[in-house]
């Protein structure tokens, strides 16, 4: 059944009148999505902690901010590492009952994969999937300019797909 908004031609309609709301080129044109486009919608908020802070302090920050990872930065804001919920859970399994007083610097991941605002989201998603991590800092010219998660990437792409489907329907209906 045709969509309700579609009305087939009837006797008496002017056959020489044509209107086009979309063309195949405009409906199917698609720029590759970048980290910068995602950050435009998400924002550039970055939550961080210092290497000398305790895990107890980090756990409170994770809970209060409702996030899954904290960037570890020095007093100048230079990234030193990242601390995720997974890092904490692994250490809790190794040192039950003794984890919260430990220092962030003892648990954090020091070699952090980063991306740039100009990177394509599909490439970032592949890196995150292959590395089995969910958070990636965004760096530009040596400066931290945001953090993206695998959830951010998936949600952004789902919104794009919904929009593309809508444009395709508009092209078909006319």
């Amino acid at each position: 059944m045709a969509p309700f908004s579609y009305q087939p031609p009837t006797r008496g309609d002017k056959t020489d009148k044509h209107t086009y709301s979309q063309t195949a080129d405009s409906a199917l044109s698609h720029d590759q999505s970048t980290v910068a486009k995602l950050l435009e919608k998400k924002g550039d908020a970055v939550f961080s902690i210092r290497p000398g802070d305790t895990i107890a302090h980090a756990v409170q920050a994770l809970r209060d901010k409702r996030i899954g990872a904290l960037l570890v930065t020095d007093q100048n804001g230079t990234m030193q590492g990242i601390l995720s919920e997974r890092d904490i859970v692994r250490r809790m399994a190794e040192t039950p009952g003794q984890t919260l007083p430990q220092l962030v610097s003892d648990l954090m991941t020091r070699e952090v994969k980063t991306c740039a605002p100009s990177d394509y989201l599909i490439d970032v998603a592949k890196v995150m999937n292959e590395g089995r991590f969910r958070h990636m800092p965004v760096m530009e010219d040596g400066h931290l300019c945001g953090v993206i998660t695998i959830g951010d990437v998936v949600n952004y792409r789902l919104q794009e797909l919904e929009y593309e489907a809508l444009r395709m329907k508009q092209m078909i209906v006319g």
Side-chain angles (χ1 to χ4, degrees):
M1 177 176 210
F4 182 73
S5 63
Y6 174 74
Q7 298 297 318
T10 58
R11 195 177 291 189
D13 285 347
K14 294 181 181 178
T15 56
D16 59 349
K17 180 182 172 188
H18 293 286
T19 61
Y20 299 98
S21 61
Q22 295 283 326
T23 66
D25 290 335
S26 69
L28 297 175
S29 68
H30 172 54
D31 292 331
Q32 286 251 323
S33 300
T34 62
V35 171
K37 288 182 182 178
L38 189 153
L39 285 178
E40 282 176 18
K41 288 188 176 187
K42 178 186 179 184
D44 58 0
V46 175
F47 300 107
S48 63
I49 197 164
R50 302 275 185 259
D53 289 339
T54 64
I55 298 302
H57 181 71
V59 168
Q60 288 174 343
L62 290 168
R63 179 198 64 205
D64 294 346
K65 303 295 183 191
R66 301 176 58 110
I67 55 175
L70 291 162
L71 293 182
V72 183
T73 60
D74 64 14
Q75 64 275 8
N76 299 323
T78 304
M79 189 172 61
Q80 304 295 308
I82 191 167
L83 179 71
S84 71
E85 293 169 324
R86 286 182 182 176
D87 297 327
I88 296 168
V89 168
R90 285 186 186 118
R91 183 58 64 99
M92 289 177 81
E94 295 167 3
T95 60
Q98 302 169 4
T99 306
L100 295 180
Q102 295 179 34
L103 297 179
V104 168
S105 60
D106 296 334
L107 274 77
M108 70 183 191
T109 301
R110 293 179 187 278
E111 294 187 28
V112 182
K113 295 240 186 210
T114 63
C115 62
S118 60
D119 289 346
Y120 293 123
L121 287 180
I122 191 71
D123 297 332
V124 171
K126 286 178 187 175
V127 169
M128 293 172 92
N129 187 47
E130 289 167 3
R132 299 188 51 79
F133 54 89
R134 299 174 292 176
H135 303 85
M136 185 179 275
V138 182
M139 303 286 287
E140 185 172 36
D141 298 327
H143 299 288
L144 191 59
C145 56
V147 176
I148 61 172
T149 68
I150 193 68
D152 296 333
V153 175
V154 169
N155 286 331
Y156 188 87
R157 185 61 185 135
L158 284 174
Q159 288 175 354
E160 278 188 327
L161 289 172
E162 288 173 1
Y163 181 67
E164 287 175 19
L166 176 65
R167 291 189 323 188
M168 296 276 289
K169 286 178 188 175
Q170 289 174 336
M171 182 183 73
I172 292 167
V173 172

